[in-house]
Amino acid sequence: MRPLEDRHHIYFTDFTSRLTGLGFRSVGFVKVGTNHYNVHEFYGNPSKGKTYVTYQFDMDVNEKIYGLGERSTPFIKNGQAVEIWNEDGGASQNCRIRISRFICPKDIEKYTMLTGRPPLPPPYSFGLWLSTSFTTSYDQSTVSSFLAGMKERDIKVSVFHYDCFWMKQFQWCDLEFDKDFFPDPEADLKSLHHQGIKVCVWINPYIAQESKLFKEGITNGYFITRMDGSVWQLDFWQAGQAFVDFTNPNAVAWYQSKLAALIDIGVDTFKTVFGERIPYGDAVHFDRSDPERMHNYYTHLYNQVVYEILAKKLGKNSFLHAFPCPLGGDPESSFGAMAESLRGGLSLALAGFGFWAHDIGGFEGRSPDPAVYKRWIQFGLLSSHSRLHGSGNYRVPWMVDPSGEAEKVLAKFVKFKHSLAPYIISQALVAHRTRVSMLRALFVEVPDDPVSWFIDTQYFLGSEILVAPVFDAKKVTYYVPAGKWYGLIDSKFREGGKYITETHDYFSLPFLLRPGGVVVFGSSKVTIKITCPEPIVQHGDVDVEITNGNVKEEWNIKIVGRHLDVMGSVDGNNVVVVADAEGLNVRIGASAKKIRFRAV
């Protein structure tokens, strides 16, 4: 028979070992407004005020906590007090950060079978997004000049984003183009589509009293109210702003109808901002939900409503920031903030988000230092999604770096990312199917390496490529796990199991293919690079017949060397390559192709 004290403990196991448990004095009772010195307040009126039960789970000596949403505080969360509360906090270490969901599962793939997985983003979304920036003044001629400048510099823009001032100021949101600056928006958007550019516009769920939509919302009861029945209004962002009540089906249909009208004139996607400043004190929702619980959940409802109308009008693989790709916080324009952004992104990824974007060059402050901007270009274009965006300054390269070097750096890395399209799409499919993020902490891929659990300035882009952003004008010190790693940018090998210090110009950074890894570069000629621990002895031709993406034949490459290039002609956008841990078995899938490869 177990000891008496052991019989009152609660344990959680994975059926093979103990994970955690509730031990001695691990359950507590909390009443708001009381403490150790004021317990009589509870006894005198036990029904007054809110009460909570707390649980304190134990941890083993070497256990670590990660994730908990997009947080730029230290990567390992042990010892931190983490408040799960939606708030617009930027990306400073000392601010509360926007969080709508959090988890710390041992097996995220199983967890997301319950919670859901991100939709697969459309291919265009992985290209470069160019924004007007936040509070800048602009019209369609500004937009046209930016796009002409990018084309002149051979920089492909996939999406153009109109931030706040596409709508008339003080009327956010009325969800209409400001006719003073955009007299014919439908023609403008049609012109962008003819250039192969998708269109995104900035929206939020707040309706200013000056908005054309305010009277409609008041008349029909579409806003969150107070307990006395009056509309809950706030002057914090826009004068007299109200909050769309997404628990009201009629309010949902009304809001979606306004978005549908924008989709009809050529808007392809929306940047869904805000949704954090939701009242909870005396707020009343249509469905009578607990307003304090709704404070966090509101953001989810808001994004779900927007995604649903996009999916209805444009298809289920429509793109929406947050569904499926959250944007990073509002970092300052500095190397320190760039590192904070990566920490936040890694934490978000470990909380189960498959895709992520951040503001290249930072958001706050004056125009970024050219060195910061060029290094952030590298980091941004080697993330799942890439966006040039700032606060009060434009982010086109010729306005940031008068030397002209930044535009060349941007052109190189935009082209480089496009060449990685087959790999990026294949890794996006993994994130879509499993919710294992494209942005991965090192320990996700090399969990047996004890150093990897402490690294927060590097990441894996998918399963095969290790990226070490350079947070300096010249030098970078980074960790390489054991094995021989191949630089896909500089064509140099690194012997791992140690830290390495290198000097890189703005056209290079450590971008390493793991031992046994495979990457396909998309173009009319595809190169598959395989790094292996042994020399290569395979020679001769290999025939592979492929139908509708299903491989009819597989082949083995005997390994006796350390590097193999396999060359062949194939449509790079339709290629998927899979390799086992040693890089021995390669399967290539493309639509209705018969391909002959020769090992060289």
Side-chain angles (χ1 to χ4, degrees):
M1 187 175 184
R2 290 181 300 170
L4 181 62
E5 62 273 14
D6 191 51
R7 280 182 278 164
H8 294 279
H9 291 187
I10 298 175
Y11 301 119
F12 296 87
T13 75
D14 63 358
F15 301 108
T16 61
S17 61
R18 183 182 186 280
L19 300 177
T20 186
L22 298 169
F24 180 62
R25 290 185 175 178
S26 58
V27 179
F29 176 84
V30 177
K31 182 171 189 284
V32 175
T34 66
N35 55 40
H36 179 68
Y37 303 102
N38 188 25
V39 293
H40 295 293
E41 175 65 22
F42 170 70
Y43 296 117
N45 187 359
S47 63
K48 180 182 177 182
K50 290 189 175 182
T51 58
Y52 301 89
V53 175
T54 64
Y55 301 91
Q56 182 174 311
F57 294 91
D58 59 35
M59 295 176 60
D60 285 342
V61 174
N62 292 316
E63 285 187 318
K64 300 172 182 64
I65 297 175
Y66 299 91
L68 299 171
E70 188 204 7
R71 293 182 173 272
S72 53
T73 54
F75 186 41
I76 299 174
K77 306 305 183 213
N78 298 44
Q80 298 181 38
V82 178
E83 184 178 12
I84 307 301
W85 185 254
N86 254 7
E87 187 164 306
D88 186 5
S92 167
Q93 291 190 42
N94 300 316
C95 292
R96 292 191 292 180
I97 306 299
R98 295 181 300 219
I99 295 177
S100 57
R101 286 162 283 188
F102 79 102
I103 55 172
C104 48
K106 187 175 181 181
D107 189 333
I108 201 166
E109 185 173 350
K110 292 178 181 177
Y111 177 85
T112 58
M113 290 175 67
L114 300 174
T115 62
R117 292 167 178 166
L120 180 65
Y124 77 78
S125 72
F126 296 101
L128 178 65
W129 295 56
L130 176 61
S131 165
T132 60
S133 289
F134 183 40
T135 56
T136 55
S137 178
Y138 65 92
D139 57 16
Q140 191 59 31
S141 65
T142 313
V143 174
S144 298
S145 70
F146 285 169
L147 293 173
M150 298 293 267
K151 184 176 181 180
E152 179 185 336
R153 292 162 175 84
D154 197 22
I155 302 170
K156 180 175 175 55
V157 174
S158 297
V159 184
F160 191 85
H161 169 68
Y162 294 78
D163 222 71
C164 306
F165 283 99
W166 68 278
M167 293 180 281
K168 191 176 288 292
Q169 62 180 333
F170 307 125
Q171 295 182 193
W172 302 334
C173 287
D174 57 15
L175 302 177
E176 289 183 356
F177 276 87
D178 184 345
K179 291 300 178 71
D180 291 338
F181 295 96
F182 304 96
D184 192 354
E186 187 169 3
D188 295 336
L189 304 193
K190 187 175 182 179
S191 172
L192 294 185
H193 286 160
H194 283 161
Q195 298 174 57
I197 297 171
K198 299 292 186 179
V199 177
C200 176
V201 296
W202 175 99
I203 62 171
N204 68 61
Y206 311 150
I207 309 296
Q209 190 163 309
E210 288 294 311
S211 168
K212 295 179 180 179
L213 303 184
F214 188 81
K215 186 175 181 181
E216 287 183 49
I218 287 279
T219 302
N220 294 288
Y222 294 154
F223 300 141
I224 296 171
T225 63
R226 295 182 182 272
M227 295 184 72
D228 64 6
S230 63
V231 171
W232 219 110
Q233 291 180 266
L234 186 68
D235 291 329
F236 190 81
W237 170 247
Q238 296 271 278
Q241 73 181 30
F243 305 84
V244 178
D245 186 350
F246 293 115
T247 71
N248 181 343
N250 293 330
V252 168
W254 171 71
Y255 192 79
Q256 287 182 329
S257 71
K258 307 301 180 182
L259 301 183
L262 290 167
I263 295 170
D264 288 342
I265 66 168
V267 171
D268 298 289
T269 186
F270 300 99
K271 175 186 170 186
T272 49
V273 301
F274 300 154
E276 306 97 347
R277 299 177 179 132
I278 304 306
Y280 56 93
D282 63 343
V284 178
H285 293 263
F286 176 82
D287 70 350
R288 296 301 189 266
S289 294
D290 179 338
E292 191 164 350
R293 291 174 180 266
M294 277 298 299
H295 174 84
N296 277 13
Y297 188 54
Y298 181 94
T299 308
H300 176 85
L301 286 180
Y302 160 44
N303 281 281
Q304 180 174 288
V305 164
V306 179
Y307 177 75
E308 285 175 351
I309 189 62
L310 278 169
K312 180 179 179 180
K313 298 283 288 183
L314 301 177
K316 65 179 182 179
N317 287 338
S318 299
F319 185 83
L320 178 69
H321 284 305
F323 274 35
C325 179
L327 293 170
D330 296 341
E332 295 178 355
S333 298
S334 68
F335 283 123
M338 180 177 160
E340 288 177 0
S341 292
L342 177 53
R343 283 201 302 275
L346 288 170
S347 294
L348 186 76
L350 290 167
F353 287 80
F355 310 99
W356 175 65
H358 46 98
D359 297 334
I360 294 174
F363 179 82
E364 299 287 5
R366 294 174 294 181
S367 184
D369 179 273
V372 172
Y373 180 74
K374 286 178 278 193
R375 290 303 186 195
W376 214 316
I377 284 173
Q378 298 176 326
F379 173 35
L381 269 298
L382 299 177
S383 301
S384 76
H385 289 80
S386 311
R387 185 177 76 143
L388 287 169
H389 180 68
S391 181
N393 309 97
Y394 300 125
R395 287 295 190 264
V396 288
W398 56 91
M399 289 189 175
V400 176
D401 182 12
S403 76
E405 185 175 47
E407 58 198 54
K408 296 181 176 65
V409 173
L410 182 60
K412 168 174 178 156
F413 281 94
V414 169
K415 291 173 184 174
F416 186 67
K417 186 173 188 182
H418 278 281
S419 75
L420 283 170
Y423 175 74
I424 288 172
I425 296 298
S426 69
Q427 295 298 318
L429 282 165
V430 172
H432 165 60
R433 291 168 180 163
T434 68
R435 211 170 180 175
V436 177
S437 180
M438 287 186 67
L439 177 76
R440 303 182 188 180
L442 265 63
F443 67 79
V444 174
E445 289 300 325
V446 285
D448 294 333
D449 186 332
V451 177
S452 72
W453 292 81
F454 297 88
I455 302 293
D456 62 4
T457 53
Q458 301 167 219
Y459 61 95
F460 272 87
L461 178 61
S463 59
E464 305 298 303
I465 298 173
L466 175 65
V467 186
V470 183
F471 302 101
D472 182 82
K474 294 182 179 179
K475 288 188 176 181
V476 58
T477 298
Y478 63 101
Y479 179 73
V480 182
K484 200 148 191 173
W485 299 69
Y486 179 74
L488 290 170
I489 292 177
D490 61 12
S491 300
K492 296 178 181 178
F493 281 97
R494 278 83 166 172
E495 191 66 56
K498 61 186 176 183
Y499 279 91
I500 296 175
T501 298
E502 295 175 347
T503 298
H504 287 265
D505 63 21
Y506 294 113
F507 298 92
S508 177
L509 78 162
F511 189 73
L512 311 182
L513 181 65
R514 70 185 306 164
V518 176
V519 172
V520 172
F521 287 86
S523 63
S524 59
K525 293 288 184 181
V526 173
T527 301
I528 305 165
K529 293 186 179 294
I530 306 171
T531 58
C532 306
E534 301 292 341
I536 299 163
V537 293
Q538 170 73 26
H539 296 287
D541 295 338
V542 182
D543 290 321
V544 182
E545 187 172 306
I546 301 155
T547 307
N548 297 325
N550 297 318
V551 176
K552 296 293 186 182
E553 231 180 276
E554 294 185 10
W555 73 95
N556 291 329
I557 300 173
K558 279 190 176 179
I559 304 300
V560 223
R562 296 184 179 277
H563 186 62
L564 171 69
D565 284 346
V566 183
M567 302 294 293
S569 298
V570 68
D571 179 359
N573 290 324
N574 293 322
V575 174
V576 177
V577 176
V578 182
D580 66 13
E582 290 77 33
L584 300 178
N585 301 308
V586 182
R587 300 190 298 276
I588 300 179
S591 253
K593 297 279 185 181
K594 188 170 183 179
I595 312 164
R596 180 176 291 270
F597 289 93
R598 179 183 293 276
V600 294

